[in-house]
Amino acid sequence: MRLVTYAGADGARPAAVVPGADGDRLLDLGDLAGSVEGLLTDAAALAAAQAQVAAADPALLPVLDQAALRAPVTPGKILCLGYNYRGHVPDGVDPTANDPEYPDVFVKTPNTLAGPNEPVVIPPGATDVDYEGEVAVVIGRRAQRVSLEDALDHVGGYTILNDVSDRAWQRRQSQWALGKCSDGFAPLGPWVVTPDEVGDPQDLLVEVVRDGVVTVSQSTSTTIFSVAYVIHHLSQVLTLEPGDIVSTGTPQKLPAAQDAHRPLADGDAVTVRISGIGELTTRFVAAPTATDQEPSA
């Protein structure tokens, strides 16, 4: 089941996406819960949603308006992994070296969250803005010091996150926060896909397309730390709450894309597509100038 948050006449509402013969349709689920997080945490509501989807006649449902979609969840925490795919290593590190013992974890702050249709504004002075397409795990059950064996039981679903980064700011310090946390630097969506539809999270193909060219293509089977391990590991230190996002890292760009690296600029668009989940396209725009912000006379 694909769950979305959309802008209704009376505010944000949860819904399911139902495939139809002529495209996707929208099934409102606001009678079952007030949010996607509410559906994921309530087994009875989730079961009722699945029953409604199964019984729905797509021809009687409104067409899905992509422009009405918002970030599918509003996480209290966005936790991300660095260098979690084999072959993706820091500058100067041998890509054939032994795997690290523990995940490299960093945080994206709440101001970074953006919906699937919101353009990312390139901050003034940013000189090396880059993209990272990632499988993002949505926590569905509170996870505190969970075992490795039980970790996946706390997953509510999977979505896509573009971990937008300003490499210039990232290189200026040992901590990455200022390179990772500009406003809108975490586009999320377009939906949350429940685990029963995704299947094995360690068998998904992650691809990124820029300017019509595939720049990233690698399977999650090559991650160093599995989704189950990461949830287990993080929950030993902090409690993961429903709606929290754990983004599992990006593969290394393909050699040709690395050689042709060009910072993102006004008008660029990047599409992240992940098998079993879908695709997320993010547009990038220049920050308005002082002249643009002046009121007209």
Side-chain angles (χ1 to χ4, degrees), residues 2-266:
R2 291 177 288 168
L3 299 173
V4 298
T5 297
Y6 78 100
D10 56 350
R13 295 178 65 85
V17 178
V18 179
D22 56 350
D24 287 333
R25 301 292 178 128
L26 189 74
L27 174 64
D28 183 278
L29 298 174
D31 60 327
L32 299 177
S35 65
V36 170
E37 294 96 311
L39 287 170
L40 296 178
T41 56
D42 186 334
L46 192 62
Q50 291 171 325
Q52 288 191 20
V53 169
D57 180 355
L60 302 178
L61 298 175
V63 173
L64 174 66
D65 179 7
Q66 292 280 348
L69 296 184
R70 302 295 181 256
V73 294
T74 302
K77 297 183 285 295
I78 303 176
L79 303 169
C80 303
L81 299 189
Y83 308 118
N84 190 35
Y85 281 77
R86 292 188 173 90
H88 186 208
V89 296
D91 292 343
V93 174
D94 181 357
T96 65
N98 292 336
D99 291 341
E101 185 176 1
Y102 300 109
D104 193 348
V105 181
F106 62 93
V107 173
K108 291 181 84 83
T109 46
N111 63 297
T112 63
L113 182 67
N117 300 298
E118 294 181 59
V120 171
V121 177
I122 299 171
T127 59
D128 197 1
V129 176
D130 202 2
Y131 57 88
E132 295 185 356
E134 307 189 2
V135 176
V137 180
V138 182
I139 299 300
R141 286 178 50 206
R142 194 169 189 263
Q144 184 180 52
R145 293 186 288 277
V146 301
S147 69
L148 180 61
E149 293 74 21
D150 294 337
L152 290 182
D153 293 339
H154 296 263
V155 173
Y158 300 89
T159 186
I160 301 171
L161 183 137
N162 188 338
D163 175 19
V164 182
S165 310
D166 184 346
R167 303 300 186 199
W169 276 101
Q170 189 176 343
R171 288 189 290 264
R172 290 172 187 171
Q173 53 187 20
S174 60
Q175 302 298 310
W176 295 352
L178 294 183
K180 295 285 189 177
C181 294
S182 290
D183 296 342
F185 267 25
L188 188 74
W191 40 62
V192 175
V193 184
T194 50
D196 57 300
E197 290 200 9
V198 172
D200 183 358
Q202 306 311 137
D203 188 26
L204 307 176
L205 179 62
V206 178
E207 293 191 310
V208 180
V209 181
R210 179 183 180 180
D211 300 329
V213 176
V214 175
T215 61
V216 171
S217 183
Q218 194 164 333
S219 171
T220 57
S221 64
T222 64
T223 54
I224 298 168
F225 302 103
S226 68
V227 168
Y229 180 84
V230 171
I231 293 171
H232 156 72
H233 177 73
L234 292 172
S235 75
Q236 307 309 306
V237 178
L238 50 82
T239 301
L240 300 173
E241 300 287 356
D244 283 351
I245 293 293
V246 177
S247 201
T248 56
T250 184
Q252 180 65 278
K253 290 186 178 70
L254 297 171
Q258 293 183 65
D259 293 342
H261 172 69
R262 175 175 62 84
L264 290 162
D266 181 56

